Amino acid sequence: MPVKPPIPIEELFVGQTAELTRTVDDATVRAFAEVSGDHNPLHLDEAFARRTPYRGRIAHGALIASYLSALLGNELPGPGAIFVSMDLAFQRPVRIGDTVVSRAEITAIDLKTRMVELSCSCHVGEIEVMAARASVMVRTRKPKASD
Amino acid sequence: MPVKPPIPIEELFVGQTAELTRTVDDATVRAFAEVSGDHNPLHLDEAFARRTPYRGRIAHGALIASYLSALLGNELPGPGAIFVSMDLAFQRPVRIGDTVVSRAEITAIDLKTRMVELSCSCHVGEIEVMAARASVMVRTRKPKASD
């Protein structure tokens, strides 16, 4: 995947949005279990998960959160952005095969501290499955830039 | 990795703690980039990262958060726990090769709503690199259990 150049904070604006669509497949859930070490059978074991209120396997909440990490890290504010805080609310289960649309919108920019606030949500169809607020620190325009 | 049986909420107590130690290696950071889709060069490209204030590659904050997911999902409250919310503060960078000790402590239990609150932290040596508060929902003891 080609990486975009960093967006300097001067080029960001309140109301700016970005979106990322990912389908959660079995391989992704198993890869996330490996990399995180989270082997909760709610995510991996259909027989176990079927006996829970979810009546079937669901994706790790932290996997869905990592899609926001990708959206913020790749797109808005993009490469070089430094995550300061992220408040996540896991609202509804995401099942294997679900397509998750993650969306971020800039709600505040502080040029002095270089802090950018974003309101984020993840939907499966019409259903909001996760909501989040994120604070990231963004680079300023480089003094040697072409402007 | 063998998965522990779920701990019913009746067996949890305020002050209960669990710990998880993981070393962040290059392979883990690259695997996390793949699974999350977060290809921010701050995490992957040493030449790019050297020109940032961090002066070198750092791990994804969401990777460190996923260790908390593992700690909560595997250990405390353990398998079957359902993540409701997680507030993360990324305090200091974690570098490739750092060993991260993640710790969770139960701070509140509500038997009626089955909600458990945890205070979490991740350290590299003496340095706190991440702090978090998590709310999870836990199963009640099964009526047919052996007790």
Side-chain angles (χ1 to χ4, degrees):
Chain A
M1 184 186 298
V3 167
K4 298 185 179 183
I7 308 174
I9 193 165
E10 294 84 354
E11 293 174 20
L12 298 172
F13 55 89
V14 171
Q16 196 170 1
T17 62
E19 233 179 61
L20 173 75
T21 300
R22 297 285 297 272
T23 296
V24 177
D25 59 16
D26 178 63
T28 302
V29 170
R30 294 194 184 278
F32 189 81
E34 279 309 308
V35 73
S36 68
D38 183 345
H39 299 278
N40 190 329
L42 187 59
H43 311 305
L44 301 173
D45 179 340
E46 183 63 25
F48 175 95
R50 222 179 283 145
R51 298 193 306 270
T52 71
Y54 292 120
R55 305 193 173 282
R57 290 169 60 200
I58 62 171
H60 302 75
L63 170 61
I64 310 308
S66 82
Y67 293 160
L68 288 184
S69 163
L71 181 60
L72 274 51
N74 291 335
E75 300 283 339
L76 187 73
I82 292 156
F83 288 31
V84 174
S85 68
M86 195 176 258
D87 293 353
L88 305 160
F90 305 101
Q91 298 173 305
R92 298 285 293 272
V94 175
R95 298 185 180 283
I96 317 304
D98 280 351
T99 294
V100 179
V101 179
S102 302
R103 191 172 178 278
E105 176 172 350
I106 295 180
T107 55
I109 297 173
D110 186 328
L111 287 172
K112 195 168 174 185
T113 60
R114 296 190 289 124
M115 291 295 294
V116 174
E117 309 291 327
L118 299 108
S119 174
C120 308
S121 65
C122 300
H123 283 78
V124 173
E126 298 292 305
I127 307 292
E128 187 171 70
V129 294
M130 193 171 75
R133 302 193 65 80
S135 300
V136 301
M137 191 179 284
V138 179
R139 312 176 119 201
T140 190
R141 192 178 284 159
K142 280 189 280 187
K144 290 188 297 183
S146 57
D147 55 324
Chain B
M1 182 187 298
V3 168
K4 297 186 180 183
I7 307 176
I9 194 164
E10 293 83 356
E11 292 174 20
L12 298 172
F13 55 91
V14 171
Q16 195 170 1
T17 63
E19 234 180 58
L20 173 74
T21 300
R22 297 285 296 270
T23 297
V24 177
D25 58 17
D26 179 63
T28 302
V29 170
R30 294 193 184 278
F32 188 80
E34 280 308 307
V35 73
S36 68
D38 184 346
H39 298 278
N40 189 328
L42 186 60
H43 311 306
L44 301 173
D45 179 342
E46 183 63 25
F48 175 95
R50 224 180 279 146
R51 298 193 306 271
T52 70
Y54 292 121
R55 303 192 175 283
R57 290 168 61 199
I58 63 171
H60 302 74
L63 171 61
I64 310 308
S66 82
Y67 293 160
L68 287 184
S69 162
L71 180 59
L72 273 51
N74 291 334
E75 299 283 338
L76 188 74
I82 291 155
F83 290 31
V84 174
S85 68
M86 195 176 259
D87 292 354
L88 306 161
F90 305 102
Q91 299 172 305
R92 297 286 293 273
V94 174
R95 297 184 181 283
I96 317 302
D98 280 351
T99 295
V100 178
V101 179
S102 302
R103 190 171 179 279
E105 176 172 350
I106 294 180
T107 55
I109 297 173
D110 186 329
L111 287 172
K112 196 168 173 185
T113 60
R114 297 189 290 125
M115 291 293 295
V116 175
E117 309 290 327
L118 300 107
S119 173
C120 309
S121 65
C122 301
H123 283 78
V124 173
E126 297 292 303
I127 308 292
E128 187 172 70
V129 294
M130 193 170 77
R133 301 193 66 81
S135 301
V136 301
M137 191 179 286
V138 179
R139 309 176 123 201
T140 189
R141 192 179 287 161
K142 280 189 281 186
K144 291 188 298 182
S146 54
D147 56 323

